[in-house]
């Protein structure tokens, strides 16, 4: 369990650094059985053919889709077995895996909660006892060297992940017993079983198929032949990689990353997309900061922006630019993740529920959302707080009426003061600050320096303290210091970390179970390096038991009851509190050159999520683009 959490949380950490639904399946998720629907119109070709270009030449604007906000700094490598590539257009093995170059058997769609075949042919199936999964590889799928993708490639990838202790291997070894090839096209996944012969965690087993790449066996053996050990195997930059996806490396330097379409890509087969993606090139300019990226978006030099752009609506309302977002009105995107303020539960007074809940009740979340997020978040009046993100699928998983009296929307100064008074936590010496155990309630609220939206949120938390007789000051250490302190869970947090911000999981095939686990499971307490969650070191045996039980639940009513009870526990004990809803990815587009980007009301079936046309089922958006002129 711990090794999986480490991997998942490191991936979330990287995602937040770069950027800043769906019900959790209790049985095999629904899988599309036909090729995904995409538009059939071909893009206009108005410039010189790509074959005439050399790496480093100026790119034809009408053949190139430009990005910002994913790639910061130069690429370090192309190795799909490594976690240190800094190659944001190419490699991200997570809930919504990046599939521009390397591909997964299935791709997850955060909008409808389903997985769709990519390298796979049709749905995967569990056996009757839900201990084994079987799926087929699409016979049309082939590698960039022309050889077929086979079940043996899938099996060898798994064995290599385990042998060399890659992130994918370490993350799943506690849950997957083996992955083998039954024949050239058929893959068998055997789950690890508990003492009763039941699958330890079916959610994690099935999620592996949409979260982790299939890598060519022959190329992996080449990599092994030149690697002295596991460290060298994972450190190899792998510039000679063989992949199955629609794009490959064309040009990289310190200013940009450019991928070029593989016009022999297997996905143009009628069994898959039926054509090639519209852009010949995917290019990511490496900007110095958000301001530079924002200026490029305004100028039409960026087509897809995955960065926080303050007051994004001004670009179309005031500047009359052809810029848009997934949703036409606020919050403009899908708030799938929940940036959260954690309490140091050993600080004086913060071991008291009344103090924790009073602070959380007093915070003016509307100001946070208006200022820190410039309204790019739903409010807590619109989506009452729980443990769920705002997507319809997750919201349907708990009984709203059962927890209504526990929910709070913020700025309830009167209620917070009454709660503290009732608990006998008062200002006895008249200095304006309440005391507990004879000491003033005085706390430091903190987050990393330079994370401007988080800093703005923490300032609002501090201001709330003054309204209820609690002295809250702020401090902003550098990330290198902050992450070292916060992720050490085998000792009490030091002074200066009484209230501190961290992230939560977004949308994915294991959610909301995975997010809840990372927010409140005590399994992470005592870890010397804890990138998993529950950074305030909360412990509740009842919550732990429910978290342990949910992956094996198959009855919808039982599942809803379990999630409702977890929400009750969370809103009663308040070990932490969410400050805003944040998009899984920021997704603003400039339609000066390209149009046909996914929108919430575009009627596409299946719906294409706003994940920048690179992650999970979002890749379908590349096939729907057309040129404006």
């Amino acid at each position: 369990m711990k090794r999986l959490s480490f991997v998942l949380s490191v991936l979330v950490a990287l995602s937040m650094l770069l950027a800043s639904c769906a019900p959790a399946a209790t049985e095999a998720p629904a899988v599309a059985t036909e090729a995904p629907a995409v538009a059939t119109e071909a893009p206009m070709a108005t410039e010189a053919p790509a074959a005439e270009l050399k790496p480093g030449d100026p790119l034809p604007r009408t053949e190139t889709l430009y990005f910002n906000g994913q790639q910061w700094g130069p690429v370090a490598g192309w190795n799909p077995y490594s976690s240190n590539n800094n190659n944001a257009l190419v490699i991200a093995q997570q809930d919504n895996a990046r599939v521009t170059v390397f591909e997964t058997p299935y791709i997850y769609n955060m909008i409808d909660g389903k997985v769709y075949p990519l390298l796979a042919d049709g749905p995967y199936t569990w056996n009757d006892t839900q201990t084994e999964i079987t799926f087929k590889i699409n016979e049309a799928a082939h590698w960039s060297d022309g050889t077929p993708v086979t079940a043996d490639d899938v099996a060898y990838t798994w064995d290599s992940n385990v042998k060399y202790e890659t992130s994918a291997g370490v993350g799943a070894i506690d849950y997957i017993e083996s992955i083998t090839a039954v024949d050239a096209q058929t893959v068998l996944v055997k789950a690890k079983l508990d003492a009763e012969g039941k699958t330890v965690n079916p959610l994690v087993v099935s999620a592996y198929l949409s979260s982790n790449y299939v890598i060519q066996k022959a190329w992996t053996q080449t990599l092994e032949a030149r690697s002295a050990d596991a460290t060298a195997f994972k450190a190899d930059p792998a510039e000679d990689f063989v992949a199955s996806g629609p794009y490959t490396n064309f040009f990289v330097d310190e200013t940009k990353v450019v991928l070029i379409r593989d016009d022999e890509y297997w996905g143009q087969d009628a069994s898959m997309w039926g054509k090639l993606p519209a852009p010949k090139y995917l290019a990511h300019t490496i900007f110095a900061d958000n301001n530079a990226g924002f200026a490029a978006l305004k100028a039409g030099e960026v087509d897809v922006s995955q960065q926080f752009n303050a007051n994004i609506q001004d670009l179309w309302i005031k500047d009359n630019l052809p810029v848009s977002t997934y949703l036409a009105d606020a919050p403009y995107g899908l708030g799938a993740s929940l940036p959260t303020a954690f309490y140091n539960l050993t600080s004086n007074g913060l071991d008291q529920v009344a103090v924790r809940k009073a602070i959380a009740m007093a915070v003016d979340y509307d100001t946070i959302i208006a200022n820190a997020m410039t309204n790019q978040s739903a409010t807590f009046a619109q989506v009452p707080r729980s443990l769920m993100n705002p997507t319809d699928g997750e919201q349907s998983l708990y009984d709203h009426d059962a927890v209504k009296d526990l929910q709070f929307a913020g700025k309830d100064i009167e209620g917070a003061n009454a709660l503290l008074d009732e608990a006998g936590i008062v200002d006895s010496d008249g200095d304006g600050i309440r005391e507990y155990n004879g000491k003033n309630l005085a706390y430091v609220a903190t987050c990393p320096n330079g994370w401007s939206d988080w800093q703005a949120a923490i300032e609002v938390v501090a201001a709330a303290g003054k309204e209820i007789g609690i002295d809250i000051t702020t401090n902003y250490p550098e990330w290198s210091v902050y992450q070292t302190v916060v992720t050490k869970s085998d000792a009490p947090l030091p002074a200066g970390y009484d209230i501190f911000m961290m992230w939560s999981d977004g949308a994915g095939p294991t959610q909301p179970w995975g997010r809840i686990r990372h927010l409140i499971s005590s399994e992470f307490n005592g870890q010397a390096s804890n990138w998993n969650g529950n950074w305030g070191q909360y412990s509740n045996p009842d919550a732990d038991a429910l978290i342990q039980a949910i992956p094996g639940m198959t009855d919808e009513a039982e599942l809803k009851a379990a999630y409702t009870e977890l929400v009750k526990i969370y809103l009663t004990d308040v070990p932490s509190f969410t400050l805003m809803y944040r998009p899984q990815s920021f997704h603003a587009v400039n339609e000066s050159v390209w149009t046909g980007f996914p929108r919430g009301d575009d009627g596409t079936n299946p719906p294409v999520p706003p994940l920048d046309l690179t992650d999970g089922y979002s890749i379908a958006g590349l096939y729907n683009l057309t040129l404006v002129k």
Side-chain angles (χ1 to χ4, degrees):
M1 298 281 279
K2 295 180 180 178
R3 289 181 287 184
L4 167 70
S5 303
F6 172 81
V7 175
L8 292 177
S9 301
V10 168
L11 291 170
V12 174
L14 292 173
S15 175
M16 290 297 297
L17 285 170
L18 292 173
S20 353
C21 183
T26 55
E27 26 185 274
V31 183
T33 56
E34 299 181 3
V38 294
T40 56
E41 219 174 288
M44 294 172 59
T46 59
E47 306 199 23
E52 297 178 5
L53 293 181
K54 301 182 184 66
D57 286 348
L59 298 171
R61 187 65 182 92
T62 55
E63 293 185 89
T64 308
L65 189 71
Y66 280 94
F67 297 81
N68 75 9
Q70 294 189 51
Q71 186 73 36
W72 302 97
V75 167
W78 302 81
N79 188 343
Y81 288 109
S82 172
S83 299
N84 298 301
N85 292 285
N86 194 36
N87 198 337
L89 268 182
V90 175
I91 297 173
Q93 298 184 71
Q94 53 197 21
D95 284 337
N96 295 274
R98 197 150 297 151
V99 287
T100 51
V101 174
F102 300 100
E103 294 183 311
T104 52
Y106 295 88
I107 43 180
Y108 177 72
N109 189 331
M110 65 175 284
I111 304 296
D112 62 14
K114 297 178 182 179
V115 294
Y116 292 84
L118 185 55
L119 287 171
D121 182 12
Y124 61 78
T125 56
W126 284 95
N127 64 350
D128 291 342
T129 56
Q130 204 173 29
T131 58
E132 297 178 354
I133 286 176
T134 302
F135 69 92
K136 299 274 189 180
I137 292 294
N138 192 321
E139 291 186 359
H142 61 75
W143 299 104
S144 52
D145 64 5
T147 60
V149 179
T150 68
D152 207 26
D153 291 312
V154 183
Y156 203 83
T157 299
W158 167 254
D159 290 341
S160 299
N161 281 326
V162 172
K163 178 179 179 180
Y164 296 105
E165 297 185 326
T166 68
S167 294
V170 170
I173 188 62
D174 289 337
Y175 308 97
I176 295 176
E177 181 66 38
S178 65
I179 298 179
T180 57
V182 176
D183 55 40
Q185 306 304 130
T186 308
V187 179
L188 177 64
V189 182
K190 290 187 177 182
K192 283 203 170 175
L193 309 180
D194 62 19
E196 298 177 354
K198 296 181 179 179
T199 296
V200 172
N201 193 316
L203 291 179
V204 174
V205 177
S206 58
Y208 179 88
L209 305 182
S210 59
S211 303
N212 296 283
Y213 298 136
V214 175
I215 305 165
Q216 189 191 52
K217 177 180 178 179
W219 179 80
T220 300
Q221 291 173 329
T222 298
L223 180 60
E224 289 178 299
R226 65 178 185 240
S227 302
D229 53 26
T231 300
F233 180 84
K234 291 180 284 190
D236 193 302
E239 293 177 349
D240 61 343
F241 68 86
V242 177
S244 63
Y247 291 89
T248 191
N249 178 25
F250 185 62
F251 175 75
V252 294
D253 66 7
E254 294 188 355
T255 67
K256 69 173 68 68
V257 179
V258 182
L259 305 180
I260 186 171
R261 189 177 63 206
D262 178 2
D263 285 352
E264 300 302 316
Y265 173 53
W266 73 270
Q268 62 192 299
D269 187 81
S271 64
M272 192 56 208
W273 306 108
K275 61 179 181 178
L276 293 170
K280 185 74 175 181
Y281 303 94
L282 303 183
H284 195 303
T285 305
I286 301 173
F287 293 103
D289 52 35
N290 278 3
N291 289 335
F294 180 67
L297 175 66
K298 288 184 66 174
E301 296 167 2
V302 163
D303 302 299
V304 184
S305 179
Q306 201 301 113
Q307 64 172 50
F308 176 65
N309 295 298
N311 296 304
I312 186 67
Q313 72 281 359
D314 286 352
L315 295 187
W316 62 83
I317 294 174
K318 295 182 178 179
D319 299 333
N320 199 32
L321 293 172
V323 173
S324 61
T325 47
Y326 185 73
L327 301 177
D329 301 310
Y332 307 113
L334 298 182
S337 69
L338 286 62
T340 293
F342 287 81
Y343 288 117
N344 178 349
L345 300 176
T346 64
S347 294
N348 178 54
L350 291 182
D351 59 344
Q352 299 298 299
V353 170
V355 176
R356 299 197 300 267
K357 188 159 189 176
I359 293 172
M361 290 170 60
V363 172
D364 186 349
Y365 301 102
D366 289 349
T367 292
I368 289 175
I369 290 165
N371 294 344
M373 289 295 293
T374 62
N375 294 312
Q376 295 179 61
S377 167
T379 69
F380 289 100
Q382 294 169 325
V383 183
R385 68 178 58 248
S386 61
L387 286 161
M388 315 301 180
N389 70 25
T391 59
D392 291 343
E394 288 199 16
Q395 287 294 308
S396 70
L397 281 175
Y398 77 100
D399 184 340
H400 292 234
D401 290 337
V403 303
K404 187 174 182 179
D405 291 343
L406 297 171
Q407 292 170 318
F408 48 91
K411 207 177 180 180
D412 184 3
I413 306 303
E414 181 179 350
N417 278 318
L419 184 63
L420 291 167
D421 291 343
E422 185 179 352
I425 301 172
V426 298
D427 172 20
S428 61
D429 58 12
D431 66 352
I433 307 298
R434 297 174 186 266
E435 304 99 32
Y436 181 74
N437 282 340
K439 297 179 181 179
N440 280 356
L441 295 184
Y443 305 120
V444 177
T446 185
C447 73
N449 185 43
W451 295 27
S452 58
D453 50 340
W454 283 26
Q455 287 181 224
I458 284 293
E459 290 292 341
V460 176
V461 173
K466 295 177 175 58
E467 299 279 350
I468 58 174
I470 298 176
D471 181 22
I472 303 178
T473 57
T474 58
N475 183 46
Y476 304 116
E478 294 303 313
W479 168 249
S480 59
V481 174
Y482 187 87
Q483 57 92 13
T484 300
V485 172
V486 170
T487 60
K488 182 176 173 58
S489 294
D490 61 348
L493 287 156
Y497 290 82
D498 302 303
I499 303 169
F500 55 95
M501 274 189 74
M502 287 291 271
W503 47 75
S504 78
D505 294 6
T510 66
Q511 304 303 341
W513 173 81
R515 179 187 311 108
I516 295 171
R517 179 185 175 215
H518 291 148
L519 282 170
I520 61 176
S521 174
S522 67
E523 69 189 273
F524 310 125
N525 299 346
Q527 293 182 357
S529 180
N530 172 22
W531 284 93
N532 308 306
N534 188 19
W535 290 286
Q537 302 180 43
Y538 172 69
S539 180
N540 184 310
D542 292 337
D544 289 345
L546 287 165
I547 292 168
Q548 182 78 18
I550 280 174
M553 292 182 181
T554 57
D555 180 77
E556 290 185 8
E558 182 185 24
L559 182 66
K560 187 169 186 175
Y563 278 131
T564 301
E565 185 60 30
L566 283 166
V567 172
K568 282 183 181 179
I569 291 171
Y570 187 65
L571 295 180
T572 298
D573 286 358
V574 197
S576 61
F577 57 101
T578 295
L579 296 176
M580 64 188 80
Y581 296 113
R582 191 179 186 86
Q584 180 98 350
S585 292
F586 289 102
H587 177 98
V589 299
N590 187 313
E591 296 182 87
S592 298
V593 178
W594 296 97
T595 190
F597 295 97
R599 301 181 192 279
D601 59 357
D602 63 17
T604 304
N605 186 25
V608 180
L611 298 179
D612 305 310
L613 297 87
T614 59
D615 295 3
Y617 194 77
S618 177
I619 195 79
L622 290 175
Y623 298 84
N624 294 336
L625 295 179
T626 58
L627 291 167
V628 172
K629 297 179 181 179

